[in-house]
Amino acid sequence: MTHQKWFKVFFILFLVVLFLSSGFIIMQYKSNSMAKDLEEYRSYYFVITGDKTICKIDTVTNQIISKINVEGKPEDIQISPDGKILVVVVSSSKDEDDTGFLLFYQIKDDKLLKKLEVGKHPSKISFTPDKKYALVANKESNDMSLIDFQNYTVLQSIAVGRKPKNFCISYDGRYCYVANTGEDTLSVVDMRNFKSVKKIRVGRYPTDVTIDKANGNVMVTLSREKAVALVNPNTENIEKIDLDDKPTKIYN
């Protein structure tokens, strides 16, 4: 075999080895990239346990992978619409009249990003449909805190009725309905200007509220009447459904 032929053979072998090695590198890169993506989008359960602990549970293994100890009493938890931030609503560990706060944690590593003071004895948080804001009900200061979720700041307080406990936001984001346990009313907040526009007397001790997707009526649990009130927010007409026991939560 001539030198020229040997050169061609070695050159072809060199190209084959180069091709195989580059393919291996690309496959390894893709594998590492996929693993990173899976880790980033892995989901978790978060559970309030005891007085001051949030358990983080892996949805794949169903194992507790970490615990977050908070100062004060966790009242509610929510995950941000993008799935990256855990928000914990905390009331004071000393007195219900003390100012409560929100804790913002980065889900991927449980890093505390921000502690934000809100009103007295906050009880619930929910995000607006446009994902720009969050609302927090403050039971002992008789108001709601409007949160700019992009900057973790309180934009304003919205006065509602006495002892607001739970609330829901309409699907179009136009109104927020607040159950005021201290005065048996439902506050209607206009989300275009973030002001309470009216109160509807619904019955004794409203504890929770949701919206009927079919007709837009507001459904309110009345704990001391053992009933659910079906409220037309436009006409303020109310129909009640009697129950056998005290309702505390309602879902739709």
Side-chain angles (χ1 to χ4, degrees):
M1 188 178 291
T2 64
H3 290 292
Q4 189 175 11
K5 289 183 177 180
W6 275 112
F7 177 78
K8 288 182 178 179
V9 171
F10 281 118
F11 183 71
I12 292 171
L13 288 174
F14 172 75
L15 291 177
V16 170
V17 172
L18 181 64
F19 174 78
L20 291 175
S21 61
S22 62
F24 173 75
I25 292 171
I26 292 171
M27 289 176 63
Q28 188 176 33
Y29 170 78
K30 287 184 176 180
S31 176
N32 292 338
S33 178
M34 288 174 65
K36 184 177 180 181
D37 289 342
L38 286 172
E39 182 64 28
E40 182 177 353
Y41 291 102
R42 202 163 195 169
S43 58
Y44 306 95
Y45 303 114
F46 291 91
V47 183
I48 298 175
T49 61
D51 289 334
K52 300 182 178 181
T53 305
I54 309 294
C55 287
K56 182 179 181 180
I57 302 173
D58 192 308
T59 58
V60 176
T61 64
N62 289 329
Q63 298 294 315
I64 296 174
I65 59 173
S66 67
K67 293 182 179 180
I68 302 172
N69 295 316
V70 302
E71 171 192 351
K73 181 182 177 183
E75 299 285 351
D76 192 20
I77 49 178
Q78 287 288 333
I79 294 175
S80 62
D82 62 7
K84 295 181 179 180
I85 305 297
L86 173 71
V87 189
V88 184
V89 179
V90 184
S91 61
S92 173
S93 59
K94 299 177 182 178
D95 194 309
E96 286 190 350
D97 288 336
D98 288 345
T99 298
F101 50 89
L102 304 180
L103 298 174
F104 298 87
Y105 290 95
Q106 192 166 261
I107 286 179
K108 66 179 181 180
D109 56 9
D110 300 343
K111 179 182 178 182
L112 178 62
L113 301 175
K114 178 83 172 185
K115 177 180 177 180
L116 179 66
E117 288 191 353
V118 286
K120 296 178 180 179
H121 197 172
S123 59
K124 180 179 178 178
I125 185 171
S126 185
F127 292 94
T128 57
D130 61 10
K131 305 175 185 179
K132 293 180 180 179
Y133 307 104
L135 284 173
V136 179
N138 302 306
K139 191 175 178 182
E140 296 302 323
S141 51
N142 304 325
D143 61 14
M144 302 184 74
S145 298
L146 177 66
I147 311 298
D148 179 350
F149 190 70
Q150 304 301 317
N151 300 305
Y152 307 140
T153 56
V154 177
L155 295 177
Q156 68 179 76
S157 294
I158 304 170
V160 288
R162 289 178 53 238
K163 296 188 181 299
K165 184 176 182 181
N166 283 305
F167 64 91
C168 67
I169 301 172
S170 61
Y171 295 105
D172 60 6
R174 186 170 178 179
Y175 294 104
C176 175
Y177 302 100
V178 188
N180 302 309
T181 60
E183 61 179 37
D184 302 339
T185 64
L186 183 75
S187 286
V188 181
V189 176
D190 190 330
M191 296 296 289
R192 293 169 296 183
N193 54 21
F194 303 113
K195 291 183 179 180
S196 179
V197 292
K198 65 179 176 180
K199 293 179 185 178
I200 303 172
R201 188 163 295 279
V202 291
R204 296 176 61 199
Y205 206 76
T207 54
D208 198 17
V209 57
T210 190
I211 297 175
D212 188 331
K213 296 178 182 178
N215 53 31
N217 284 345
V218 181
M219 307 167 70
V220 187
T221 54
L222 305 175
S223 182
R224 290 179 183 167
E225 290 188 28
K226 297 182 181 179
V228 172
L230 308 180
V231 184
N232 184 317
N234 298 316
T235 65
E236 300 186 21
N237 182 60
I238 298 174
E239 178 184 347
K240 293 184 180 180
I241 302 173
D242 293 328
L243 305 172
D244 294 330
D245 206 346
K246 295 179 180 180
T248 56
K249 300 291 292 183
I250 188 167
Y251 299 93
N252 181 42

